Amino acid sequence: MRNVAVVGVQWGDEGKGKVVDWLSERADVVVRFQGGHNAGHTLVVDGTTYKLSLLPSGVVRGKPSIIGNGVVIDPWALLEEIDRLGVQGVFVTPETLHIAENASLILPLHRNLDVAREAAAGSGKIGTTGRGIGPAYEDKVARRAVRMCDLADDSVLSTRIERLAAHHNALLRGMGQPEVDGGEVLASVRALVPKLLPFSDTVWRRLEEYRLAGKRILFEGAQGSMLDVDHGTYPFVTSSNTVAAQAATGSGVGPGRIGYVLGICKAYTTRVGAGPFPTELFDETGRLIGERGREFGTVTGRPRRCGWFDATLVRQAVTVGGVDGIALTKLDVLDGLPSLQVCTGYRLDGEVIHHLPALMSAQSRVEPIYETHEGWQQSTQGVRSWGGLPAAAIKYVRRIEELIGTPVALLSTSPEREDTIFVSDPFSG
């Protein structure tokens, strides 16, 4: 048996929830290793729908679940999510949920700064969710962050928040925005300490104990590879590393402990918010894909931009992320289309290239090079075997495998978890 890391290989929203749910049933431990509550996924278990943002998917099955040090945690959002699951009959306790003691917290002043910056940016907005994720990561890197372990020492906590407030107020003054009251922030955090501190744990050591005991560990990522702060479409990215290597850094395990990397991608492409999108569709086909695929953000509710499958983009994410296999989702959304386009490269200023360049202005100028594929008129919804797929659909999937250089390990044909064609089990090969 091997451990598995699951990452998106597009711009997020690839349907990780269903795949992670299937894997979490087979895992012994589930770890969330980056991001914040700006990412969300939906699980459907025994007919009940669970919407998660911060909590690892293992909690709905009572599996030991870990929030790693690579995550930034909004304590209020976390406790609200725990309470919401409790109403649904899933009770999250310090016995089932362990939060890294060195994980950084998102405070109200981070949200204030996030919103103020976006408002001041005007046409230069990057499309943040306004939840304070970026400012919290900034403070972490600048060594100003309040961490879980600081909740255990009030003198440390008060000093950290005083320093944070001074820094944030200087920025707010510069934007002509009201300043934050550090005393109020401290009081609000103190009120949460009894509820939050019991979840604090030495996660890296606990994970090593699980490993030595032969437990199967699932590392669960958020967003997608093209939103990675280093490897994505910068600056229209999230504030953390979203590639599989972060599974090790963001949880406290060695990179050799990650045995298999499963990349998730849709049979087409979507994106939320601003930023380059070479294969975006602005016509009736794009609207139809969005409608069929119910393309609205789990957390924000924002409509997603839709476009054709970009094999060049996915191949780049597969290479950078060390992806071993792909879970291809939402194939059924393409049912009935007369023909399909797949991007196999770009044309930039008259030159053919086979990667998305790092330069922002170049990203905005690339033009997709398409190859056309025959569509299929039969329904693929709910199909659970290769034999049940139309020949044109099989040909489409096989061509995607060739173009991205990675095999399809799972193929999803509806939101229902059982409607999946399994080629191989990532845990066992």
Side-chain angles (χ1 to χ4, degrees), residues 299-380:
V299 173
T300 64
R302 291 186 292 181
R304 298 172 186 142
R305 300 153 63 190
C306 298
W308 295 121
F309 187 85
D310 190 336
T312 303
L313 187 95
V314 173
R315 182 173 62 243
Q316 184 169 327
V318 163
T319 302
V320 171
V323 172
D324 297 300
I326 288 290
L328 190 66
T329 66
K330 294 197 170 185
L331 182 70
D332 55 300
V333 173
L334 302 179
D335 290 354
L337 294 179
S339 63
L340 308 170
Q341 304 289 324
V342 174
C343 175
T344 60
Y346 306 122
R347 190 169 284 105
L348 176 62
D349 301 333
E351 178 187 355
V352 175
I353 61 174
H354 294 282
H355 70 285
L356 189 64
L359 181 64
M360 183 175 69
S361 58
Q363 290 176 352
S364 67
R365 296 198 311 275
V366 297
E367 301 173 0
I369 299 171
Y370 287 121
E371 64 179 29
T372 303
H373 290 261
E374 177 189 359
W376 51 90
Q377 302 312 305
Q378 308 98 307
S379 173
T380 64

Side-chain angles (χ1 to χ4, degrees), residues 42-45 47-51 88:
T42 302
L43 307 180
V44 180
V45 182
T48 302
T49 299
Y50 303 96
K51 294 191 175 183
Q88 293 184 278

